Amino acid sequence: MMPGNAFDNADLTGADFAALASLVREHTGIAMHEHKRVLLQGRLRPRLRTLGLARYGDYIARVRADRAEVQAFINLVTTNDTAFFRTPAVWDYLERDFLPGWVAQHPQRTLRIWSAAAASGEEAYSLAMLCSGFQARAPQLTFSITATDIDTAVLATAATGLYEGRTAQRFADAHPELARTHFTPEGGALRARPELRAHVRFGEHHLLAPWPGGAQFDLVLLRNVLIYFDEDNQQRVLGQVHAAMAPGARLILGEQESITRIATPFEFEQAHVYRIRQEHA
Ligand SMILES: C[S@@+](CC[C@H](N)C(=O)[O-])C[C@H]1O[C@@H](n2cnc3c(N)ncnc32)[C@H](O)[C@@H]1O
């Protein structure tokens, strides 16, 4: 172990930051700029301490040499903020526009939804609650939800369906009826009921890799993740997502994300909502 306060003196130098930013890009596609240096240092410092490493240079060597450390590194450098029913306008669109239209056009088919960059699963469970509720109006609706992320730690949380603290409190305050119907209280926390969890399949997936299931999704939520990529990788991610979408599918992006200035297979339909351009359908 290192003596005394050696760790507290370890500041991330410009060269170490550059090496780490390059590893972040290599393993996640995320572009990490200089203004994130303090953030990165704050996230990695406890890991150096756990590993008994005094210098970021030692940690860089460790990530380069040890595949198991790569996943721990990925889990630390990703930002996983999310919420149930994030951006209400999106959920209004899905309930009032997308679902009625889709059910009318596909009375016999299972709706396949992808929560890409699902973080701790709030978005995927929100989708499951929305679709379950919609079944009261349209019992013929069947649906499946695939939820993926590159961060295995948040995926493990998502699979448990256990939410505590602010995220659970905000959800219960905003949607008390849904919280009662689909969750059971556990101490101060809320756990998704097994029937809700059964609608969602969680898995690991890197958005820069091809989706292994082919062009299968009718609805993709790719929210608040493109902002972390530079334009090249945004285009690559959107290319992979496009290849995973069925004809007529819709893509939903986050509030801060506009893709109209870059060349993609998508065109703007309405706020947050994109469809596949005719020539790419
Ligand atoms: C800010 S969260 C967004 C969560 C959710 N989509 C939402 O809007 O509430 C971004 C998520 O993207 C994931 N992510 C970052 N890079 C990724 C990549 N290359 N492939 C898959 N997921 C990635 C992170 O792990 C994180 O959980």
Side-chain angles (χ1 to χ4, degrees):
M1 289 295 288
M2 295 306 301
N5 63 357
F7 297 110
D8 299 331
N9 297 331
D11 274 331
L12 191 50
T13 64
D16 285 345
F17 175 78
L20 285 165
S22 156
L23 285 168
V24 170
R25 189 182 169 88
E26 178 186 339
H27 292 293
T28 68
I30 293 170
M32 201 158 259
H33 300 294
E34 176 61 34
H35 67 274
K36 295 275 174 75
R37 198 203 290 199
V38 173
L39 175 96
L40 190 63
Q41 177 171 304
R43 288 186 179 180
L44 295 181
R45 184 174 273 174
R47 185 68 187 156
L48 266 70
R49 194 173 290 137
T50 302
L51 296 173
L53 302 174
R55 289 187 302 268
Y56 287 92
D58 298 334
Y59 185 64
I60 291 163
R62 179 72 165 258
V63 174
R64 286 186 179 138
D66 179 356
R67 179 60 221 174
E69 188 55 32
V70 169
Q71 189 61 57
F73 176 66
I74 290 172
N75 294 356
L76 287 169
V77 300
T78 49
T79 300
N80 312 113
D81 297 338
T82 187
F84 288 100
F85 296 103
R86 186 176 192 176
T87 312
V90 165
W91 302 92
D92 287 346
Y93 158 78
L94 292 175
E95 186 174 13
R96 294 186 192 152
D97 199 343
F98 179 84
L99 284 177
W102 199 88
V103 167
Q105 283 168 26
H106 310 88
Q108 311 285 345
R109 248 185 61 200
T110 296
L111 169 65
R112 288 153 308 179
I113 307 175
W114 184 15
S115 171
S120 38
E122 285 89 330
E123 179 179 87
Y125 290 125
S126 301
L127 286 162
M129 287 187 269
L130 181 79
C131 292
S132 299
F134 197 80
Q135 282 173 326
R137 283 159 61 187
Q140 72 273 34
L141 174 68
T142 54
F143 62 94
S144 73
I145 299 163
T146 302
T148 63
D149 204 280
I150 199 174
D151 179 336
T152 52
V154 279
L155 284 173
T157 301
T160 67
L162 185 67
Y163 295 96
E164 45 201 352
R166 225 162 49 132
T167 188
Q169 195 55 53
R170 279 195 179 162
F171 168 54
D173 289 347
H175 304 278
E177 187 60 38
L178 290 175
R180 264 194 301 279
T181 307
H182 297 288
F183 288 77
T184 43
E186 218 176 276
L190 290 175
R191 188 183 292 274
R193 292 183 194 272
E195 312 86 76
L196 189 72
R197 295 215 299 274
H199 287 299
V200 188
R201 198 168 50 96
F202 289 100
E204 200 182 329
H205 177 68
H206 190 326
L207 286 166
L208 283 161
W211 176 252
Q216 67 179 104
F217 294 112
D218 305 298
L219 176 66
V220 178
L221 282 81
L222 179 74
R223 302 195 300 157
N224 305 299
V225 64
L226 285 179
I227 38 167
Y228 298 105
F229 300 125
D230 62 21
E231 282 191 10
D232 278 357
N233 277 349
Q234 288 178 353
Q235 278 178 315
R236 286 192 190 103
V237 167
L238 288 165
Q240 300 292 13
V241 167
H242 169 237
M245 290 169 73
R250 292 294 186 278
L251 171 69
I252 314 284
L253 299 182
E255 278 179 81
Q256 328 269 310
E257 294 162 322
S258 166
I259 54 169
T260 45
R261 73 192 184 289
I262 55 175
T264 76
F266 299 103
E267 63 186 9
F268 179 83
E269 185 171 81
Q270 57 176 280
H272 321 299
V273 184
Y274 292 78
R275 63 182 164 228
I276 300 169
R277 282 181 203 282
Q278 193 61 43
E279 63 270 30
H280 295 278

